[in-house]
Each structure stands twice: as structure tokens, then as C-alpha cells.
């Protein structure tokens, strides 16, 4: 088989073997519905409570504040729609940023059509939310601030603590999309004064189709999915036992040696970034040089279009992405890259490599060898590059 | 996503480059949309004897440029003007719906280069009727299926 | 290990081995995000399209009319909230029945609080929706009729075709919760004039946490989960590849020998029903004698409380339920049993046995042996039973 190097861990991760092993019995042996009172059910009730406790502990929450959902997008939708529905008597203003994930952005845009007002705060050239602007945009009728912990495209980590304090001071509910941050930074919902936090298991070597919403006790929020009495009557649907068990195991593994994980990823990331910037003229790093996810390397390569790069990399077995996976159906340049001030052309020629626990130094070396060749080939074809060379 | 033919032309594009003292040069597209196509023609006795291109764009843009140059090489100007984007796409065993506009770009690039040749030589071609090389081909949303 | 007889297939089913086998590679080998354009993504794109096609075919829909969700409850919520939000300019009246699943009922009750008006149509003693009443309750501002295909507690199958025609005639959107019917009856959405249909994989030997909503082309509905461009921009969230593959396989198996499955279940069900009614005095069958799910045996046993029965059965390794699993947190008698006219006392003493593909004749014989003994023991303790015996 031809060489395959996966560098798209922010899109999704392979499940760890321990996670799969933990899940397996629950598919066809210990498969009962945890809401059933017979022993097939009871034995699984205990099992999901255990997973709940493990995950709650990793964010310093209590087990009765975390609710399983069908994924990160559902968690974001629930948090935002749930809070503004609960508080619509109190106000109609929401604050978010220009670089949120689409699960937040499109939800906010939908709410605008429903009569809510949304401020999309700017970010600086590194992708850090403008705190002054955020503060100034707070109004008496602001009911929700929703800011992501770390960006999925450029990896920038936000000053969540400062925003949490601001929100607290003004008594505004604070939601944080931590789908990308989880497993890569230590998150303490109490210290950070977070009211709601979204997670998704498949970004941390857990299963797809399972997420979580932390809801701080006392937070006003209505349900997104009505029905049965599961999740303390707040999220209906037969509990996804294998996925919950897998999420619990993935959470345990992620936080049992966070430092080791971060060190491994940061080393490889920096090697990749420095190597690429050195070998490829007219390239630049997107996002913050240090306040960034340990595995994220987002690079703009001028005078080439991103898809041509992606396809060429794919031909030599290297998998990465331009922008986020969920927007790759679209032809518009990334809203995140536009928000940090890139021109259309440069935004179009951007690549996101995301490194994970299974990435080796050879993988990075392979990219450092192949990508410059590809860039050179594509630039030879580019009418834009011609001029640059001519001019120099 | 792409046919084997598209990938083959993308990886081994034909006729990449420039022609010095070309008889006709055309450029279409807009870097803002992530694509520019530039086409160079050498024309002798009404026949396209050489053609080269440069493209900044996606895989499909590169492949359609390459295919278009192959399809007009050695053809008369009238034949080249009758090249449609559909024909280019078909020759590549089809394109995904969202990528059809890249083939439009290829058709426009050919027309634009011939237009330049016609301007320089004071010629008229039926196939150029209604063609405006400066028209802003803001094509990015037209083929969106929803 | 002690004998364990699982007769709660309507609560959830064990996954079939073929389903698990189909899923396994997608956890950690072929694990890519289908929205990614590299080969890890593309190979899974094809895979989910294939599952989509298989399932679409089983309900006579086309593949671009079916959308994966996080389960049956999400499908119900999406269908109902999505349609009424899209049509709220047109009207505010919803028609449903008194015996719907909570995912429908509680969603409708929530919408009542939001200003919609809901008619809950009665059912007859067998649990069949009163068609005359349904017809009479249609108003010019009726925007949705939502009726379940088969009931999860008593197994009654509804006259969906008649209701579909009525809805069509009045140009009202028609949603059907087919979570229990799927895999047990042949469903043709076109013939039945269904606009929206909810399914859930874990009721048909597929994985938990994956459902589907059929949306007939042209049906007006807004999204429940906004975000990425997945599912043709109608349901955001990274596609749950393993679960989708598992659902596809489960659908294929369910419909490859539907007749055999129905025959097997019906035989065991009838043996169980007839045996129990014969051996246990003061017992009765709930639901329709023939228009019922092939695996459903719902029995009321007078003068005993259901939980005591459940626990006693559990002690001898028999797993069944009283009412639906998701209500077992509640102490109220089943709304379904009340709707078919049972008194509180009788409703409380009801048991649901649901038979599945792995049920054997010995399992049924075991219940027929154990349950009468349990009933006798509990009745000896019951002050109500004393009087009856005295009176006789
Ligand atoms: C009729 C019916 N509808 C909806 C549901 C909800 O499905 P899920 O638990 O997969 O969300 C169920 C089962 O719980 C059901 O029996
Ligand atoms: C920051 C962020 N939020 C939300 C999501 C959505 O998560 P999911 O795809 O599990 O629904 C993602 C990933 O897709 C993400 O990166
Ligand atoms: S040239 Fe615009 S997407 Fe292909
Ligand atoms: S006697 Fe225990 S629930 Fe009523």
C-alpha cells in the first residue's frame, strides 16, 4: 500500500484501541437500555454514570452538570438556542466572534432571522478576540456571550478567563465551544467562570456521534430535544451506551498525561512550521505563534490555490485540509482567514496540518520533503507567480 | 470527487507555460475567487499552431485548462471558438456540479485570447459575437445545488 | 451465569454480528471525516452514500430524501419543530394522537407553550386512532399531522394510509414516527403519502445514537441543528460513519427476509399471549389482536402493581418492561394504557414483553412457567385480590 500520512486530526481522529475495547461489549452483550429497570438496563446505568463522572472531573464540573448529546454541533445549538429561548423575556442581544465554528455562527445567523440581535466581535491578526470591542458591545439586554476556546482552523486560544470574568460581572450567560481545546489544554469551568461548555468525543480519539454539554447548576436553558426522561429529563433519546463509554475512556486517556501529549505535539508542530516557512518562499504562519493548539500548523502559501495543494498532497498520501472539513463543500475562502485580515488570494492558498498522538517525526519529515516540490510545480503554472519572479 | 481523467490532467497538465510574442493572450477570472486562467496562442493562417496556459486555481481549473489547450491545438479559429465548457467537461469524463464553472473559465480563456488576436489584427469572428473579455465572471455561486 | 431471557426488544436490541463487523473498520482504520477531500475522507463519503441508498430503498424513498440524525427522538423533534417553524406564517394548529411516544408528545406540549394549538386525538380500546375525530379536527390553519406508525407500548398499527390520504386531501404536512414499525412492516412512503418519517437504528439490531429523517422532496422544514454543510446542509455535525454504516447493514438485514422475521416473531408472540392469558386469571391483552407489531405482547395482570412484577421477573432473569423504558423514571401510569381506557389500577399492573430475532421458544416457555408463579405469589399479598377471591 502507498504511504499514507494523516495530518487532519482536527477534522477527526482515529479511535484509540483502549476506547474501542471499552465499547465493544456494549454493542451486543451488555447492550441494555439504561432506562430499563431490569438487570440489562441497570448494569448500563452504572456504566454511563461512571463515564459521566470521569468526564466531569476533567473539566472540574460535577457529574450532574454534564449532559450527553449527539455531538459538538448539537451541544452548540442546544447551548445557544436553549439559553436565548429561556431568556428571551430578558433581552435579545447575543455576543460572539467572527471566527466561531459554523455550528455557532450559523446558529447565531439563524437567530438573527428570528429577531435576535448578534454582535460578531472582530479578532486581531493572530485571531485573538478583541476584548475591548467585546466589552463595549455589552448592552443591558445582552443575554449570551458565546466564544470558542480554541479555533479549529488556525488554532488560536482565546483569553477565556478574561471573557468569563466580564460575563460574570455583567451577569451574562457564558458559553464556550471547547470542541478543539478539549484534550489539548486544561479546562476548569469554575475557575474560568463558564456556564456552558460544548465537547465532542471524536476530536479526542473517542467515537463520532457523541458530544456533551456542561450546564452549570442554575443556568436557565430550555431543551433542544424533547421526549423521554433521559439525561435528567433535559435531553431525550435512548442513551448511546457504547459511545458514552468510549467518550469516558477517551477523556480519561486524554487527561492522564496531558503534558506528555502537548509536548509531543508541540515539538512536531514547531518542526513542521519552521521547516515549511524556511523551505517555501512566500509562505506565512496563520494564527498566534504561541497561543495556539499544540497540534495546529496553518500556513498560507502565496500564488497557489489551496485545493490544488490538497489534491497534490493527497496524491503522495498526505492528508490535510484547507479551512475546516465541514466547509470544504463550499468555494468561499475561510471566514476565519478573512477575519484575521488575509486577502482573498492568500486565504485561498492556505493549508491546515493538524498533528495528533499517532503522528511521528518521519511523517513531518515526509511533508517537509514533498510539499516544497509540489509548491514549486504549482507555482510554475501560476500566472500570479510569474509576475513576482519577474519583478524580483 | 474527480474523475481519473481530471486527476491525470491535473497531475500532468499539457501545454503549461508561456509563448513569447504570442499572437493572442487572454486572461480571465479573478484572484479573489481563487482562480485566474491565462492563455497564449500562436496562430498561423487561421490555424492555432501552438497554445500554452498558466492557471492559478483548483484542481478542476488546472485540468480544464490543460484539456482545453489540447482540444484547440491545430484547430482553426472558428473551431476553437465553438469549443464549449460542456465539451471540455465531457472530455474529462465530467466534473462535479460545483466545479462546472471552472470549465466555463476555460472556454472564456480561449475566447479571450482569440479576442486579443482579433483586436490586434482588426479581424471579426462570428464566434466572438457578444463576447466581452472584461465581463466580471462572478461565477462562484451559479451552479450551487441546494 | 444465571439464566437471562431478554424480552425487551422494543426498548433496544443487541447489534447483529454482521452490523458490528461492518462498523469495526471505521473506528480506527477507515476513520476519515467524509467531508474531507483527501482520500481518508473520500473513501468514507462513498460508504455513507451507500448506506443512505440501502435505507432509502427499504422505505421506497430516494437517497437524497433521507437525512441521518442522532436518533429517533432527534428525528421526531426535527420533523415537528422544523415543520411548524417553517409554516408558522400559515397556521398554528397541529394534530396528533393521545398515544404518541414522548418524543412527539412532549414536543407538542412544548409547542403549545410557544403558542401553537394541538389536538390530541383519541384512540379506541385497541389503540387505533379515531379517524372520524381526526378528520373533524382538521382546521384551515392545521399545518401538521403527526401520527405514529406502530405504538411502542401496545404495538397497535395505525391506519397510516387513510391518514396520509386525509392529510394529502387537505394539503397538510404528514409526519410518521416509524421507529417501532421499521423492520417489522413494509413501509412505502410514497404509497402511504408520508412527508416525513422518523427511524432509529437501535430498534432494528443497529447501533444506538443514529436515526434518520425522511423528508419528501419539497417539504418545507427548517433545521434543528445548524452548522457545517453535512447532510446537504440540513443537519450539521461530523457524520457518524461507523453508526451510519451499521444502520445501513441493519436495514439491509431487516428487509432481506422480512416475512421470515415476522413469522418467527408472530409465532412466539402468539404462543406467549395465549399461554399467559390461559394460565393467569384476570389477565387481558392490551392493543389490537391482529393489527399489532409481530413481537409485542402487552398484558395487564389485575390486582398487582407492575414494578413488583418487573422486579420479580428480573430475579429469575427475565427482562421486560411496563410501559416504555424512557418513562420508567416516572410513577404515573402509562398514557397509552390510560388512553385505551384502562383504569389506573389495571394500567399499573401491565407488562410489555417484546420478542426479537434472538428469542427462542424456550425463552417463551420459561416465561410461561415463571410468570404464573410470580403472579400467584404477589396476589397472595394483595388486599385487592383477597376481595375478588372472597367474592367468587
Ligand atoms: C415510537 C418511538 N419513537 C421514538 C423513539 C425514540 O428513539 P430514540 O430513543 O432512538 O431517540 C422510540 C424509542 O425510544 C420509540 O419507540
Ligand atoms: C470548534 C468546533 N466546534 C464544533 C464542532 C462540531 O462538532 P461535531 O462535528 O462533533 O458536531 C467542531 C468540529 O467539527 C469544531 O471544530
Ligand atoms: S476555478 Fe474556482 S473552484 Fe475551480
Ligand atoms: S408504592 Fe412505591 S411507587 Fe407508589
Amino acid at each position: 500500500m502507498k504511504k499514507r500520512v494523516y495530518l487532519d486530526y482536527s477534522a477527526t481522529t482515529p479511535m484509540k484501541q483502549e476506547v474501542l475495547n471499552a465499547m465493544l461489549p456494549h454493542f451486543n452483550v451488555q447492550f441494555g437500555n439504561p432506562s430499563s429497570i431490569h438487570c440489562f438496563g441497570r448494569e448500563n446505568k452504572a456504566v454511563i454514570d461512571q463515564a459521566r463522572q470521569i468526564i466531569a472531573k476533567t473539566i472540574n464540573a460535577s457529574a450532574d452538570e454534564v449532559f450527553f448529546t449527539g455531538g459538538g454541533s448539537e451541544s452548540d445549538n442546544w447551548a445557544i438556542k436553549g439559553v436565548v429561548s429561556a431568556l428571551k423575556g430578558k433581552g435579545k442581544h447575543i455576543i460572539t466572534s467572527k471566527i466561531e465554528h459554523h455550528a455557532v455562527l450559523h446558529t447565531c445567523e439563524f437567530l438573527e432571522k428570528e429577531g435576535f440581535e448578534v454582535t460578531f466581535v472582530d479578532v486581531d491578526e493572530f485571531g485573538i478576540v478583541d476584548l475591548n470591542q467585546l466589552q463595549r458591545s455589552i448592552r443591558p439586554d445582552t443575554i449570551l456571550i458565546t466564544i470558542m476556546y480554541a479555533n479549529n482552523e488556525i488554532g488560536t486560544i482565546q483569553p477565556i478567563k478574561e471573557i468569563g470574568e466580564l460575563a460574570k460581572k455583567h451577569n451574562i450567560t457564558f458559553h464556550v465551544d471547547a470542541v478543539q481545546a478539549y484534550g489539548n489544554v486544561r479546562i476548569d469551568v469554575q475557575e474560568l467562570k463558564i456556564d456552558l461548555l460544548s465537547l465532542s468525543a471524536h476530536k479526542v480519539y473517542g467515537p463520532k456521534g457523541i458530544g456533551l454539554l456542561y450546564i452549570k447548576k442554575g443556568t436557565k436553558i430550555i431543551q433542544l430535544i424533547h421526549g423521554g426522561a433521559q439525561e435528567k429529563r433535559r435531553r431525550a433519546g435512548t442513551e448511546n451506551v457504547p459511545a458514552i463509554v468510549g467518550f469516558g475512556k477517551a477523556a480519561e486517556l486524554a487527561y492522564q498525561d496531558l503534558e506528555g501529549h502537548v509536548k509531543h505535539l508541540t515539538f512536531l508542530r514547531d518542526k513542521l512550521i519552521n521547516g515549511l516557512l524556511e523551505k517555501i518562499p512566500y509562505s506565512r504562519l496563520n494564527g498566534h505563534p504561541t497561543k495556539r493548539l499544540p497540534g495546529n500548523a496553518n500556513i498560507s502559501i502565496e500564488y497557489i490555490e489551496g485545493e490544488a495543494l490538497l489534491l497534490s498532497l493527497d496524491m503522495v498520501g498526505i492528508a490535510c485540509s484547507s479551512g475546516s472539513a465541514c466547509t470544504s463543500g463550499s468555494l468561499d475562502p475561510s471566514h476565519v482567514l478573512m477575519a484575521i485580515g488575509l486577502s482573498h488570494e492568500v486565504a485561498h492558498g492556505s493549508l491546515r496540518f493538524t498533528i495528533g498522538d499517532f503522528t511521528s517525526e518521519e511523517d513531518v519529515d515526509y511533508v517537509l520533503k514533498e510539499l516544497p516540490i509540489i509548491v514549486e510545480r504549482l507555482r510554475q503554472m501560476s500566472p500570479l507567480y510569474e509576475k513576482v519572479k519577474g519583478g524580483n | 470527487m474527480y474523475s481519473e481523467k481530471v486527476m491525470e490532467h491535473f497531475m500532468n497538465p499539457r501545454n503549461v507555460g508561456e509563448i513569447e510574442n504570442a499572437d493572442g493572450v487572454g486572461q480571465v477570472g479573478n484572484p479573489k475567487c481563487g482562480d485566474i486562467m491565462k492563455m497564449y496562442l500562436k496562430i498561423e493562417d487561421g490555424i492555432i499552431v501552438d497554445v500554452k496556459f498558466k492557471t492559478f486555481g483548483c484542481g478542476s481549473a488546472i485540468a480544464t485548462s490543460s484539456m482545453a489547450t489540447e482540444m484547440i491545438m491545430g484547430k482553426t479559429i472558428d473551431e476553437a471558438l465553438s469549443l464549449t465548457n460542456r465539451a471540455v467537461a465531457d472530455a474529462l469524463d465530467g466534473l462535479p456540479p460545483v466545479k462546472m464553472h471552472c470549465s466555463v473559465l476555460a472556454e472564456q480563456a480561449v475566447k479571450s485570447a482569440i479576442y486579443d488576436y482579433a483586436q490586434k489584427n482588426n479581424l471579426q469572428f462570428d464566434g466572438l459575437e457578444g463576447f466581452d473579455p472584461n465581463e466580471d465572471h462572478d461565477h462562484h455561486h451559479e451552479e450551487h445545488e441546494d
Side-chain angles (χ1 to χ4, degrees), chain A residues 33 225 228 230 235-239:
Chain A
N33 187 324
I225 300 184
Q230 295 92 351
R235 199 280 187 181
T238 300
E239 295 92 339

Side-chain angles (χ1 to χ4, degrees), chain A residues 381 383, chain B residues 25-31 34-40 52-66 68 101-110 112:
Chain A
M381 280 189 232
Chain B
V25 181
Q27 176 169 322
V28 293
N30 181 342
D35 35 57
I36 297 179
M37 236 179 245
K38 198 166 178 184
M39 196 81 65
Y40 301 81
K52 293 257 189 286
F53 81 91
K54 284 215 167 175
T55 290
F56 163 80
C58 67
S60 146
I62 291 170
T64 51
S65 315
S66 166
H101 73 269
C102 312
S103 62
V104 173
L105 222 51
E107 177 192 322
Q108 302 285 342
V110 171
S112 173

